[in-house]
Amino acid sequence: MAMFTHVMVGTNNPDQARAFYDATFGALGITGMQAPNGGLWYGDPEAREGMFGVVTPRDGNAACFANGGTIGFPAQSTEAIDAWHAAGLAHGGSDEGPPGTREWGPQMYVAYLRDPDGNKLCALHLTGEPEAS
């Protein structure tokens, strides 16, 4: 069983959010759909798990981001991460850590973005085990 059914972030500008997420998720091969209530959902709805939603807050207050929070997405290659990061920057996102190798345990290639609403996102591709010292 998967740990999460879905992760959701808020937006104050659904059109801008859709442009950003369509581009960044498209670079990772993930498609989206718009719900009848205007929310955006990405992932496989038949799986009933692992979905990512972007919505305006139900309570009518402004959406805000979590300080210290990061949402990570798997990528199939370093090229996909480069494309994800470039797509995010081209669609209103900001750089929070450029694409590159990190050695925090298993070697990985990652990039970080903030979406137009300030949510921190990461794309990650495991490249192998760290070298023995």
Side-chain angles (χ1 to χ4, degrees):
M1 176 184 288
M3 183 178 283
F4 299 105
T5 58
H6 66 282
V7 173
M8 192 176 325
V9 297
T11 184
N12 294 307
N13 186 331
D15 292 334
Q16 184 179 37
R18 181 172 197 127
F20 176 86
Y21 282 106
D22 282 355
T24 57
F25 282 136
L28 298 178
I30 300 168
T31 59
M33 65 181 171
Q34 188 159 358
N37 67 356
L40 307 170
W41 289 97
Y42 297 86
D44 179 4
E46 297 298 317
R48 298 179 186 243
E49 62 188 27
M51 297 292 292
F52 183 84
V54 184
V55 299
T56 55
R58 288 177 138 188
D59 65 7
N61 292 321
C64 60
F65 55 90
N67 185 20
T70 302
I71 301 168
F73 303 102
Q76 297 301 313
S77 67
T78 58
E79 294 82 10
I81 290 176
D82 292 344
W84 176 84
H85 193 261
L89 294 177
H91 289 87
S94 59
D95 177 47
E96 191 69 18
T101 302
R102 311 298 197 276
E103 295 182 19
W104 305 318
Q107 288 183 331
M108 59 188 78
Y109 190 88
V110 302
Y112 293 90
L113 289 168
R114 293 264 180 194
D115 75 5
D117 289 291
N119 297 294
K120 187 176 179 184
L121 311 170
C122 172
L124 180 146
H125 175 70
L126 293 177
T127 58
E129 294 298 321
E131 294 181 16
S133 22

